[in-house]
Amino acid sequence: MTAGAPSQPRHFVGRDGTRLTADVWGEASAPPLVLLHGGGQTRHAWDRTGPRLAALGWRVVAPDLRGHGTSGWSADGDYDVDLFADDVRALVAELGGRPTLVGASLGGLSALLAAGEAPRAAIRALVLVDVAHRPDPRGVRRIIEFMRRRPDGFADVGEAAAAVSAYLPHRPAPDDPERIRHNLRRHGDRWVWHWDPRLLDSFEGRVDPPGMAERLLAAARHADVPILLVRGGISDVVRDDIAEEFRDRVPHARRVDVADAGHMVAGDRNDHFIDAIVPFLEAHATAPRPGVSVRRVR
């Protein structure tokens, strides 16, 4: 498979046999790179990022987290972050090759715990996309309010696209509103978001639980891999002071901000996001096989 080819589907097995669906770009011999989306998103959050990174010489794997997209749902409706972390461990073990993990929001929390708590996932480096040890509760509540806003769904795809545009006024309107169809599923004669609605019950009770900040900082310090924190320059979830505290308390962590990007950094400013992470990947992910040049994206 060439880097410019369409993604290929693959399935992994998470904790308790939960089936995880993933898109894969790039050649099998290229160094592996796993993209983990945020809560309430699907693997299609990386539809622009995955092919671009594959073209630069990585084999990119973007799974749907449990309860999202076409991956399995938790039978009992439990979506504790430890379940997501165990799914990441299982995926990394099945994939092999010590991949680099790039995790946004919930995907970043899951990756951080998988990398820094026993049993530690065998990875090469970790990129945290607008997630640190402590969120701003106001930003998280805004996300949850949006996710809860339309429990009855939408009459058509255009209505869903309009809702997203109203929620993200700083982001230019999409050229093709139909792209949002990947994040929706049919429910009767309506379109609803492509996640298990029970996710919200887990999220709402765990905005910033006691002890979690210190647990995440400990995991980051114990993760024996380079860490890059990519913060959205106008994020309302990871404040500047929180990002600085994370960098100060995790000696091997670096930080970069992506200007004019909110919490959904890759979706807001994809080219600038790629440009921000490629130097870190060049330095810390396995160099691509001979004959393939990894280069900056401008």
Side-chain angles (χ1 to χ4, degrees), residues 160-176:
V164 172
S165 293
Y167 171 64
L168 301 172
H170 62 280
R171 184 189 291 186
D175 296 330
D176 180 13

Side-chain angles (χ1 to χ4, degrees), residues 40-56:
Q41 295 183 311
T42 71
R43 67 187 189 274
H44 295 288
W46 305 110
D47 278 353
R48 288 184 296 160
T49 308
R52 296 286 295 276
L53 292 175
L56 293 176

Side-chain angles (χ1 to χ4, degrees), residues 45-46 48-50 52 265-275:
W46 305 110
R48 288 184 296 160
T49 308
R52 296 286 295 276
V265 182
D268 288 353
R269 304 279 284 177
N270 193 62
D271 288 348
H272 295 271
F273 168 70
I274 294 174
D275 207 32

Side-chain angles (χ1 to χ4, degrees), residues 35-263:
L35 305 178
L36 301 163
H37 64 75
Q41 295 183 311
T42 71
R43 67 187 189 274
H44 295 288
W46 305 110
D47 278 353
R48 288 184 296 160
T49 308
R52 296 286 295 276
L53 292 175
L56 293 176
W58 282 279
R59 183 174 186 237
V60 181
V61 178
D64 279 329
L65 301 180
R66 70 165 57 218
H68 297 76
T70 56
S71 286
W73 291 9
S74 292
D76 58 1
D78 182 13
Y79 290 100
D80 186 85
V81 69
D82 289 303
L83 289 172
F84 291 104
D86 281 346
D87 286 343
V88 172
R89 291 183 180 100
L91 187 152
V92 167
E94 186 175 345
L95 186 62
R98 289 189 64 206
T100 293
L101 303 183
V102 179
S105 196
L106 175 63
L109 291 177
S110 308
L112 179 54
L113 292 176
E117 293 187 344
R120 296 181 194 170
I123 67 170
R124 197 166 299 276
L126 175 61
V127 179
L128 300 174
V129 185
D130 211 62
V131 63
H133 58 297
R134 174 177 286 121
D136 187 322
R138 294 168 297 182
V140 177
R141 290 193 190 100
R142 194 174 77 91
I143 294 170
I144 293 172
E145 286 170 4
F146 171 76
M147 293 174 70
R148 283 209 181 274
R149 194 166 294 155
R150 296 294 296 268
D152 60 336
F154 305 93
D156 53 41
V157 173
E159 189 176 314
V164 172
S165 293
Y167 171 64
L168 301 172
H170 62 280
R171 184 189 291 186
D175 296 330
D176 180 13
E178 284 292 313
R179 288 182 59 185
I180 202 171
R181 188 184 298 270
H182 291 304
N183 290 343
L184 300 164
R185 60 183 174 86
R186 292 291 290 181
H187 184 67
D189 62 349
R190 306 284 288 177
W191 290 94
V192 298
W193 297 119
H194 211 326
W195 65 67
D196 184 346
R198 297 174 299 178
L199 278 164
L200 293 173
D201 295 330
S202 296
F203 293 170
E204 224 161 28
R206 299 168 184 146
V207 172
D208 187 13
M212 180 56 78
E214 287 303 322
R215 179 184 173 189
L216 291 170
L217 284 170
R221 289 192 292 265
H222 292 147
D224 190 22
V225 296
I227 296 175
L228 176 67
L229 169 57
V230 182
R231 176 182 174 269
I234 57 173
S235 172
D236 62 351
V237 175
V238 178
R239 298 192 313 263
D240 178 75
D241 61 311
I242 293 171
E244 272 306 290
E245 182 182 9
F246 183 86
R247 192 183 67 167
D248 289 344
R249 297 187 62 181
V250 183
H252 55 286
R254 293 175 49 202
R255 170 193 171 182
V256 62
D257 286 20
V258 175
D260 301 321
H263 181 55

